[in-house]
Amino acid sequence: MSFATPFPAPFGATPSGLPVERWTLRSASGVEAAVLTYGAVLHSLRVPGPERRPPAEVVLSLPDVKHYATHGAYLGAVVGRFANRIAAGTFTLDGTRHHIPGNDRGNSLHGGADGFDRRLWRAEACERPDGAASVRLSLDSPHGDQGFPGSLQLSVTYTLASDGSLTLDYHAVTDRPTPVNLTHHAYFNLSGNPDRGVLDHLLTVDAAAYLPIDETGLPLPGAPAPVAGSPFDFTRARRIGARITEPDEQLARAGGYDHCWVLDDRDRPPGDGELDLRRAARLEDPGSGRVLEVHTSEPGLQVYAGQQLDGGFGDLLGRRLGPHSGLCLETQHFPDSPNRPDYPSTVLRPDQALRSRTVLGFPHLAAVAR
């Protein structure tokens, strides 16, 4: 079997008894990823350290489908139809009011109580001219699903390149106008040990502004706030825990970091076909030497420091996942966009196709790839 051949294996069943598969992708650089057909979950991402040091698990994972079906932390899942929050679960589109079930302090979060993270996706291997390992997961969301208008056909394709970078390509079409905002909810811990947490990781976010929130996590009215001089300034690498306990109203409202940063355009490269990618963030673990860089075509980055993980469930090795065990770097459009005409639109119409890309790269592996 070549490195580039993704392959499935049984991984239990959904609560209704449908079989779940686990697809494994491997790279010559030593990176290995595994994806579940339940929730399109990134179940494993094993990344070597510098100088060919042994690989470690850098995303938080759960041992079986039962745990994924009952927990509320969205570990590793693709979430939608609308990632993040919609105020009071309501919005008006083309003159019609729509209602989405509230599942977070009266707001709808990540598509409602039965979002895409709890669905069974279809999987198929993709052949690529560059030989990279690739698997496409597809899902049909019918008209009225969780209250959203329009039938939506969507897919997310995971591609593991020879240099160890993992690309997520999203695609969606609809038969009537509907808001769509997809993101990936992996929790990263580059040390490979959730007991160490991520507060000593160094984070850089390429954003000069962020969206302050109210007590329910919704963006406040008005323009984005500058990060300069605040605990939200990660324009240069800084420990995640350096200012997280400061007496700041925004930190208090979220219990730490759970905010959307407005990404800069200053690092945008010339372009990638129809998708222009910008660097969103860089995460470093000084202890292991591992480095993650996130590039995306999305305008926002939700940074969540995992403060609500309560140790109520364990990972693949039985280690309890407590506060700050992992960090989410969720590339997406802005929260509550259907109710905010001042934000970039998330409305997808029948004559359009949604395309979005996020690339997880590991620059410390550059020497290995050569």
Side-chain angles (χ1 to χ4, degrees):
M1 181 176 293
S2 71
F3 280 114
T5 305
F7 56 93
F11 192 78
T14 67
S16 62
L18 298 175
V20 175
E21 295 177 335
R22 185 180 192 265
W23 285 70
T24 300
L25 296 81
R26 291 174 175 164
S27 167
S29 63
V31 176
E32 180 177 297
V35 181
L36 303 182
T37 53
Y38 186 82
V41 164
L42 180 61
H43 187 240
S44 175
L45 184 58
R46 295 183 56 81
V47 178
E51 301 175 353
R52 300 184 183 272
R53 295 173 190 164
E57 184 62 72
V58 301
V59 295
L60 304 187
S61 301
L62 299 175
D64 53 43
V65 177
K66 178 181 178 181
H67 284 79
Y68 281 104
T70 56
H71 79 82
Y74 306 95
L75 265 74
V78 171
V79 297
R81 183 177 302 194
F82 194 92
N84 219 308
R85 295 168 176 85
I86 297 177
T90 61
F91 61 91
T92 298
L93 178 57
D94 295 343
T96 300
R97 194 73 168 164
H98 299 277
H99 301 271
I100 315 302
N103 58 330
D104 180 69
R105 295 169 288 183
N107 306 315
S108 68
L109 175 65
H110 294 331
D114 184 23
F116 296 166
D117 60 297
R118 298 182 184 272
R119 307 293 175 85
L120 187 64
W121 298 57
R122 304 180 303 274
E124 59 180 339
C126 303
E127 292 190 8
R128 291 176 51 92
D130 60 4
S134 186
V135 60
R136 179 182 299 112
L137 293 99
S138 303
L139 183 68
D140 296 329
S141 174
H143 171 64
D145 187 1
Q146 295 292 285
F148 287 99
S151 296
L152 189 73
Q153 289 76 51
L154 69 148
S155 66
V156 57
T157 302
Y158 290 87
T159 301
L160 185 61
S162 60
D163 64 359
S165 61
L166 182 66
T167 296
L168 285 75
D169 279 304
Y170 303 89
H171 181 270
V173 294
T174 183
D175 63 356
R176 68 185 75 186
T178 187
V180 183
N181 185 23
L182 305 174
T183 194
H184 194 261
H185 212 286
Y187 289 72
F188 297 101
N189 186 320
L190 300 183
S191 74
N193 183 0
D195 291 337
R196 283 185 51 192
V198 295
L199 294 184
D200 286 332
H201 281 40
L202 302 177
L203 176 64
T204 306
V205 180
D206 293 322
Y210 79 105
L211 302 179
I213 59 173
D214 66 14
E215 294 81 357
T216 70
L218 291 169
L220 293 172
V227 301
S230 80
F232 295 85
D233 189 351
F234 288 94
T235 52
R236 294 186 179 182
R238 184 162 54 82
R239 286 180 56 251
I240 294 168
R243 302 184 65 179
I244 199 170
T245 60
E246 289 190 5
D248 177 90
E249 182 179 29
Q250 282 298 307
L251 292 176
R253 286 179 175 177
Y257 296 114
D258 191 6
H259 297 75
C260 187
W261 271 252
V262 179
L263 296 176
D264 297 337
D265 286 337
R266 62 172 181 256
D267 290 330
R268 183 193 293 269
D272 181 20
E274 299 177 28
L275 293 174
D276 289 332
L277 300 182
R278 56 166 71 81
R279 195 183 80 165
R282 178 182 173 96
L283 186 65
E284 308 171 55
D285 173 41
S288 69
R290 292 186 184 87
V291 179
L292 165 67
E293 285 196 344
V294 181
H295 289 77
T296 187
S297 59
E298 292 294 298
L301 179 75
Q302 185 84 9
V303 177
Y304 171 49
Q307 53 267 21
Q308 295 181 7
L309 297 175
D310 60 5
F313 44 87
D315 70 356
L316 298 175
L317 299 178
R319 298 171 296 192
R320 310 312 292 178
L321 300 180
H324 310 302
S325 292
L327 177 77
C328 296
L329 299 169
E330 306 165 50
T331 57
Q332 59 186 256
H333 272 59
F334 302 153
D336 201 29
S337 291
N339 294 308
R340 296 292 298 264
D342 51 326
Y343 290 170
S345 176
T346 56
V347 176
L348 180 66
R349 298 186 179 275
D351 59 347
Q352 302 170 327
L354 178 148
R355 292 185 63 222
S356 174
R357 176 173 295 164
T358 293
V359 181
L360 309 177
F362 301 96
H364 70 276
L365 296 180
V368 177
R370 291 197 297 269

